[in-house]
Amino acid sequence: MIARVFIKPKKGVLDPQGKAVHSALGKLGFNQVRDVRVGKYVEIRLDTGDRDAARSGVQKMCDTLLVNKVIEDFTFDIADD
Amino acid sequence: MIARVFIKPKKGVLDPQGKAVHSALGKLGFNQVRDVRVGKYVEIRLDTGDRDAARSGVQKMCDTLLVNKVIEDFTFDIADD
């Protein structure tokens, strides 16, 4: 199975990379952009066919290593290989 | 509308950050992990209600700024606010 984890800076946390991308998009003429947040995308390939086990494993990986919960929010989904 | 862009290193392109995460997960006891790829997640809030316009705009943003197509693959989706 494949887990896709999406991590982004929490609301209210400064995101200089997002601001830089927003500004660059504006200069390129993309004026309909209201806000940009830049975060991390982690794709984890798992050796298991058990979706529930995969889900709880990925939740633990996020809790212990992948996400800094003080400044980041995350979501993830699990898909078949 | 919100566009969510997922960018990851192409297959075959070295991903030292992914390797580091894979190794760290192994040391933490997550042994069912086969592979990890780390990329970028970009969330773009758009001032438009037109989904087709949003889709073509985001495609252009990826082509011109967000993605380095030599070494990165990307996908995106568009959702309502």
Side-chain angles (χ1 to χ4, degrees):
Chain A
M1 323 207 84
I2 296 183
R4 307 189 311 158
V5 184
F6 318 115
I7 305 165
K8 66 174 178 176
K10 275 195 177 164
K11 214 179 152 133
V13 171
L14 278 180
D15 177 15
Q17 204 180 350
K19 279 208 189 313
V21 170
H22 189 176
S23 158
L25 287 173
K27 282 174 191 154
L28 289 169
F30 296 107
N31 299 313
Q32 75 277 42
V33 177
R34 198 191 316 157
D35 190 36
V36 179
R37 307 289 278 172
V38 176
K40 279 177 286 183
Y41 169 59
V42 185
E43 207 175 78
I44 304 167
R45 208 168 286 266
L46 295 161
D47 275 328
T48 173
D50 180 342
R51 192 174 282 260
D52 288 342
R55 184 167 293 281
S56 78
V58 172
Q59 178 72 45
K60 269 187 211 137
M61 291 176 204
C62 291
D63 292 343
T64 54
L65 180 75
L66 300 176
V67 180
N68 179 344
K69 290 189 170 179
V70 179
I71 55 169
E72 293 171 329
D73 277 333
F74 74 102
T75 56
F76 67 86
D77 59 32
I78 310 267
D80 290 326
D81 237 339
Chain B
M1 323 208 84
I2 296 182
R4 307 188 312 158
V5 183
F6 318 115
I7 304 165
K8 67 172 179 178
K10 275 192 176 167
K11 214 181 152 137
V13 172
L14 277 180
D15 177 17
Q17 203 181 352
K19 280 207 188 316
V21 170
H22 190 176
S23 157
L25 287 173
K27 283 174 191 156
L28 288 169
F30 297 106
N31 300 313
Q32 76 276 43
V33 177
R34 196 192 316 157
D35 190 35
V36 179
R37 307 288 279 172
V38 176
K40 278 177 287 180
Y41 169 57
V42 185
E43 208 175 77
I44 303 167
R45 208 168 286 264
L46 295 161
D47 275 329
T48 172
D50 179 344
R51 192 174 282 259
D52 287 342
R55 184 166 292 282
S56 77
V58 171
Q59 179 71 45
K60 269 187 211 137
M61 290 176 205
C62 291
D63 292 344
T64 53
L65 181 75
L66 300 176
V67 180
N68 179 345
K69 291 188 167 179
V70 178
I71 56 169
E72 293 171 331
D73 277 333
F74 74 102
T75 56
F76 67 87
D77 59 32
I78 310 268
D80 289 324
D81 237 339

